[in-house]
């Protein structure tokens, strides 16, 4: 079974600085999708970024970028110029290439942003 | 606002009771998903429907059932409720039901079983 591991239960970053959240996953598949979702205190799940495993280029969305290392099965999220509004729980998720479209989530990392 | 609408937002009920959670997907989305978020089990995929048909099944208990109606809204029925069923239940939707399709989540329905 596919599993997603987020080894950092909690991280802190100073406003305007850069932070990296770690994620590893376990799969025997060669094609799949990876996502980072943000869950602020409102509990809404917000898509931050997605990566297709067949693409070597790392995805970027404004201040958010990923470091996708397929061989190492690693998918970290880098947040640059951190803002107070970035404070949230961040979930890494894996989506296998199979019938259907389910997401397998990690346990999450709480990100605190200090002013 | 993701465009996925869930009702009710909060619900408190007693053990042994039955509740129904309702979801309207984003306009144009054909696939609906249900996820459960609890303190002990994290975020878990329950079930997926595509255009009225069940597409994929996850860790959904036999006491739970879901369906997607012709107008594409979905309902999750939870019966014989136990204390451990207390959780945040998310509905989500996507345009198609195929792998990798971006999934958009609603705000969730908080269920408290007392």
């Amino acid at each position: 079974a596919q599993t997603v591991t987020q080894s950092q239960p909690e991280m802190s970053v100073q406003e305007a600085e850069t932070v990296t959240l770690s994620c590893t996953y376990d799969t025997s598949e060669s094609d799949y999708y990876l996502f980072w979702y943000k869950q602020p205190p409102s509990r809404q799940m917000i898509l931050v970024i997605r990566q297709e495993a067949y693409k070597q280029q790392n995805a970027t969305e404004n201040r958010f970028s990923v470091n996708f290392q397929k061989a190492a099965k690693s998918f970290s999220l880098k947040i640059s110029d951190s803002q107070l509004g970035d404070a949230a729980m961040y979930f890494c998720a894996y989506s296998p290439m199979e019938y259907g479209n389910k997401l397998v989530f990690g346990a999450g990392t709480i990100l605190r942003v200090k002013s | 606002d993701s465009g996925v609408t869930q009702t009710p937002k909060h619900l408190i009920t007693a053990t042994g009771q039955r509740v129904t959670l309702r979801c309207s997907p984003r306009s144009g989305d054909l696939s609906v998903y249900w996820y459960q978020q609890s303190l002990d089990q994290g975020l878990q995929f329950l079930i997926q429907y595509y255009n009225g048909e069940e597409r994929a099944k996850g860790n959904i208990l036999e006491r739970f059932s879901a369906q997607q109606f012709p107008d594409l809204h979905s309902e999750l029925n939870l019966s014989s409720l136990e204390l451990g069923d207390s959780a945040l239940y998310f509905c989500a939707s996507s345009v198609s039901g195929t792998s990798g399709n971006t999934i958009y989540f609603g705000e969730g329905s908080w269920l408290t079983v007392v």
Side-chain angles (χ1 to χ4, degrees):
Chain A
Q2 301 102 349
T3 57
V4 177
T5 302
Q6 293 180 249
S7 59
Q8 305 153 317
E10 191 171 327
M11 293 282 285
S12 291
V13 64
Q14 200 69 34
E15 203 175 359
E17 295 190 346
T18 296
V19 65
T20 298
L21 308 184
S22 301
C23 171
T24 58
Y25 54 94
D26 185 25
T27 182
S28 57
E29 300 183 346
S30 58
D31 287 328
Y32 45 85
Y33 299 86
L34 295 164
F35 301 84
W36 279 98
Y37 278 87
K38 168 185 177 181
Q39 188 178 42
S42 67
R43 292 289 186 167
Q44 172 92 46
M45 292 288 288
I46 302 164
L47 176 66
V48 175
I49 200 164
R50 61 173 277 156
Q51 173 81 42
E52 292 85 354
Y54 60 84
K55 289 186 178 178
Q56 292 187 345
Q57 186 173 7
N58 290 322
T60 299
E61 288 288 340
N62 301 314
R63 299 182 294 106
F64 298 87
S65 61
V66 298
N67 183 4
F68 173 48
Q69 301 289 328
K70 192 172 183 179
K73 297 179 185 175
S74 170
F75 182 61
S76 60
L77 175 70
K78 185 171 85 171
I79 306 174
S80 304
D81 185 25
S82 296
Q83 301 175 359
L84 294 177
D86 295 333
M89 175 81 92
Y90 286 81
F91 290 95
C92 178
Y94 167 95
S95 181
M97 286 283 285
E98 62 183 31
Y99 192 68
N101 187 26
K102 71 177 184 184
L103 291 170
V104 178
F105 284 94
T109 296
I110 297 172
L111 177 65
R112 303 192 193 281
V113 181
K114 303 175 187 175
S115 59
Chain B
D1 183 7
S2 67
V4 179
T5 305
Q6 290 186 245
T7 57
K9 288 191 172 7
H10 299 273
L11 189 57
I12 301 174
T13 191
T15 53
Q17 294 298 304
R18 171 189 171 95
V19 299
T20 298
L21 308 181
R22 194 178 189 279
C23 170
S24 294
R26 294 186 324 153
S27 178
D29 284 1
L30 297 178
S31 198
V32 170
Y33 310 79
W34 288 97
Y35 283 82
Q36 179 196 58
Q37 185 176 26
S38 63
L39 279 175
D40 54 346
Q41 301 208 33
L43 263 165
Q44 286 203 95
F45 167 69
L46 296 179
I47 198 163
Q48 176 194 2
Y49 281 84
Y50 175 73
N51 206 19
E53 301 287 329
E54 183 182 303
R55 176 62 68 97
K57 210 166 187 176
N59 300 323
I60 188 167
L61 300 172
E62 285 192 10
R63 300 183 285 108
F64 296 179
S65 64
Q67 54 183 324
Q68 185 180 27
F69 296 87
D71 67 352
L72 301 178
H73 92 271
S74 177
E75 292 181 356
L76 178 66
N77 298 296
L78 314 173
S79 62
S80 302
L81 285 167
E82 302 174 359
L83 296 177
D85 297 327
S86 295
L88 180 58
Y89 291 85
F90 283 109
C91 175
S93 71
S94 65
V95 171
S96 79
T98 54
S99 298
N101 218 238
T102 297
I103 296 173
Y104 297 91
F105 285 77
E107 295 183 352
S109 292
W110 275 104
L111 173 65
T112 302
V113 182
V114 296

